[in-house]
Each structure stands twice: as C-alpha cells, then as structure tokens.
C-alpha cells in the first residue's frame, strides 16, 4: 500500500521510543491496533492500523521506536494544466488539482478555467497567477479538507508550483491562436517541456505505486505488452483493454487479483495517471515474469 520504509525515514523526527524490550510484531494490545504487516527479514518495520492512523514500529540504534501517522495526512496533490477535452464540465484550458488519499479512500478535484487578459497575463478563478493569491479552493467531499497539513500543502502548491506553469500557459495560448498546438521554439524549450513532463510522470508514478499492488501492475503490464500508443489521445481508456483481456483470458485468475477492483481503480485514473502508468510499465519490462 505504502512505502513504509520511506515514510519511516521521512518522519524520523517524529519517532518515539518504547520503554522496555518488545517484539515489534506483538504490540497489538499495547498499541490498541491491528497488525497488518509484520516485520521480517525483508521488512524491517511492523505496521499496525487503527481507525484513524497507521503505527509503524521498528528498531533504531537498538531501541524500539514507534511512529504514528494520521491517515488524514497521507494525501497526495496533483497539479495539471489541461488543454484537451477529458469529459469534464469545464471550459478549456483549465487548471486541475487532484487530492487523493488512499488511506481514507477519498479523492476529489478542483478545476478552474484559465484565461488571458489584454496584457497576456493568465488568470484562474479570479486570481492573477503572478500575484500568487490563493483562490477559495473547494474540496467539500474530503474529510480532511480542514486539516492544517492539507491547507499548508495547497498553499505551497499554489505559491511554489503553479507559477512554474505560467510560461507554458502563455505559450499554449500563443500556439492556439496560430495553429492549435503549443509552439516548440528551440532545443532548450524542448528540453524544458520534456523535463516538466518527466516530473509530472515521476509524481504520478509515486502515487500509483501506493494505489496498485504488484500483482495488479504485472497484469496491466501483460496487457500493455504489444500495444502501441500512436498518439497522446490513445493513452486514454486503458481499462477497456484490460477488461477485454480479463473477459477473454481471465488474467485476473492468472495473477490472483480481483478483476472488478482493478477495473474500478483504472476507471478512476486521470489522464496524467494513465500516461504515468503506461510509461512506467512499458519502460520497466520487469512485470512480465510468470505468475508462478
């Protein structure tokens, strides 16, 4: 579900020692939590779960340590500048911020159309992007929308990340007026666009790694083997290809996964997430091993 080791290292300052000598896999009663992933030779951490949090227990410097992570804080934010119709009731182009929380099973999106004023400056939700004033974001379906960590993350995204899109937005509008496509001026501009694309893919792949289990990824990789994506639009609707193979070949039995659950996950992917999944699985080639 999560890279527990990475979370353990990222939150090192929040770890607390447990007094006494403990078997890290025998703390369910002490922690009033359920053991969901025991520690072992290949898993240095024991992971416990309560209704509202995960509790990680490990050994650092000979001392048993615990780390409590509130589920409401384990969200991901994804920022996108959308220029193609994806079936949303939103005029193009628009900014999209997707909030996902695998731990709580919640997901919501905020969208607002992008416009240019007479001076060629981009505006979103009655906010001039250059002024970095946050709009009144609405994530009404999320239980953690009032959490301080969530509001801080939104603020950081708007102040630090959104301005990086401004040149791309301006270029897109210029290209739309001329030929309908964003201009590529020179090699430096091409590299800049590719770096942004790579960063988006890396961000999405990190989130997808927590959404899909290994067997599901191997199944999707098998479906992708031999499929060619001749255009950006052809990447949309991956679930249809997977569904066809599930029906014809019962790949869910081969890989021992719940086909309905997998299809539902795939249907809920954004376009950027589908591209990231395709990029990751077609580039690695490592998920095509036999199911055993």
């Amino acid at each position: 579900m999560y890279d527990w080791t990475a979370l353990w290292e990222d939150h090192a300052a929040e770890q607390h020692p447990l007094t006494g000598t403990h078997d890290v896999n025998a703390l369910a009663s002490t922690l009033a939590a359920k053991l969901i992933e025991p520690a072992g030779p290949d898993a240095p951490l024991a992971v416990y779960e309560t209704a509202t949090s995960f509790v990680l227990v490990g050994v650092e410097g000979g001392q048993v340590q615990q780390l409590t992570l509130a589920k409401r804080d384990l969200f991901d934010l994804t920022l996108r500048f959308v220029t193609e119709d994806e079936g949303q009731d939103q005029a193009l182009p628009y900014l999209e911020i997707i909030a996902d929380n695998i731990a709580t099973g919640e997901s919501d999106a905020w969208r607002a159309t992008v416009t240019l004023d007479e001076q060629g400056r981009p505006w979103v939700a009655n906010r001039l992007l250059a002024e970095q004033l946050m709009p009144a974001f609405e994530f009404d379906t999320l239980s953690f929308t009032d959490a301080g960590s969530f509001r801080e993350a939104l603020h950081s995204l708007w102040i630090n990340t959104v301005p990086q899109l401004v040149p791309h937005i301006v270029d897109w509008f210029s290209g739309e007026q001329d030929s309908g496509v964003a201009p590529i001026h020179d090699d430096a501009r091409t590299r800049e666009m590719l770096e942004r694309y790579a960063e988006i893919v890396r961000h999405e792949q990190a989130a997808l790694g927590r959404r899909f289990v290994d067997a599901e990824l191997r199944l999707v990789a098998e479906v992708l083997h031999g499929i060619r994506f001749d255009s950006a639009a052809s990447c949309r609707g991956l679930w249809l290809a997977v569904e066809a193979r599930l029906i014809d070949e019962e790949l869910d039995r081969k890989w021992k996964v719940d086909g309905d659950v997998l299809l539902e996950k795939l249907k809920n992917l954004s376009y950027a997430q589908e591209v990231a999944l395709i990029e990751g699985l077609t580039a690695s080639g490592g998920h095509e091993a036999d199911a055993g």
Side-chain angles (χ1 to χ4, degrees):
M1 183 179 185
Y2 287 100
D3 186 338
W4 302 113
T5 301
L7 287 171
W8 178 263
E9 293 173 352
D10 290 344
H11 295 266
E14 301 171 28
Q15 297 169 19
H16 299 285
L18 288 172
T19 58
T21 302
H22 300 281
D23 175 355
V24 296
N25 291 329
L27 293 169
S29 297
T30 301
L31 300 173
K34 177 183 178 182
L35 178 67
I36 60 173
E37 291 194 22
D42 299 321
L45 299 172
V47 182
Y48 295 82
E49 182 178 13
T50 71
T52 59
S53 63
F54 295 109
V55 183
L56 281 55
V57 182
V59 179
E60 289 285 345
Q63 174 71 59
V64 177
Q65 305 270 356
Q66 78 172 65
L67 169 67
T68 301
L69 299 171
K71 291 181 179 179
R72 68 188 328 223
D73 291 335
L74 296 176
F75 56 82
D76 287 296
L77 293 178
T78 302
L79 171 67
R80 302 175 61 218
F81 175 51
V82 182
T83 60
E84 296 184 3
D85 184 9
E86 298 182 359
Q88 303 294 339
D89 186 18
Q90 189 74 45
L92 293 173
Y94 58 86
L95 282 191
E96 177 181 70
I97 298 176
I98 302 172
D100 290 301
N101 192 320
I102 302 171
T104 64
E106 297 172 272
S107 181
D108 199 1
W110 174 89
R111 302 178 182 90
T113 298
V114 181
T115 60
L116 290 188
D117 61 18
E118 295 179 354
Q119 289 76 42
R121 301 173 301 178
W123 289 71
V124 176
N126 297 319
R127 295 292 189 272
L128 179 62
L129 292 188
E131 295 181 350
Q132 297 186 317
L133 296 176
M134 284 181 57
F137 293 114
E138 294 183 2
F139 288 94
D140 295 337
T141 67
L142 301 178
S143 64
F144 52 89
T145 186
D146 60 339
S149 59
F150 183 64
R151 304 310 297 182
E152 289 173 6
L154 279 175
H155 182 266
S156 177
L157 183 76
W158 193 261
I159 298 301
N160 300 318
T161 307
V162 168
Q164 298 177 25
L165 291 177
V166 171
H168 181 53
I169 292 171
V170 173
D171 280 351
W172 185 87
F173 274 98
S174 299
E176 180 190 48
Q177 294 166 3
D178 296 331
S179 60
V181 297
I184 300 178
H185 301 299
D186 51 33
D187 289 342
R189 176 61 179 149
T190 302
R191 286 194 299 270
E192 181 183 0
M193 293 176 67
L194 289 174
E195 287 173 359
R196 287 175 179 165
Y197 171 77
E199 183 59 32
I200 291 173
V201 168
R202 281 194 295 270
H203 183 280
E204 295 292 358
Q205 287 175 343
L208 291 173
R210 298 191 292 269
R211 179 175 297 187
F212 294 89
V213 300
D214 286 346
E216 291 173 331
L217 294 174
R218 292 189 176 97
L219 186 155
V220 176
E222 180 172 340
V223 173
L224 290 174
H225 183 68
I227 295 179
R228 293 189 61 184
F229 298 93
D230 299 323
S231 66
S234 67
C235 296
R236 198 62 170 139
L238 175 59
W239 71 271
L240 292 170
V242 173
E243 182 182 52
R245 294 287 296 276
L246 292 179
I247 294 173
D248 295 341
E249 303 175 34
E250 296 186 333
L251 291 185
D252 49 343
R253 290 176 179 246
K254 173 182 177 180
W255 292 106
K256 298 180 176 62
V257 303
D258 187 319
D260 292 334
V261 171
L262 175 58
L263 289 176
E264 190 63 26
K265 291 180 181 180
L266 293 172
K267 289 177 183 178
N268 290 329
L269 294 180
S270 67
Y271 174 71
Q273 290 169 331
E274 283 195 274
V275 171
L277 187 61
I278 291 169
E279 289 279 12
L281 296 181
T282 55
S284 65
H287 294 285
E288 296 178 19
D290 291 338

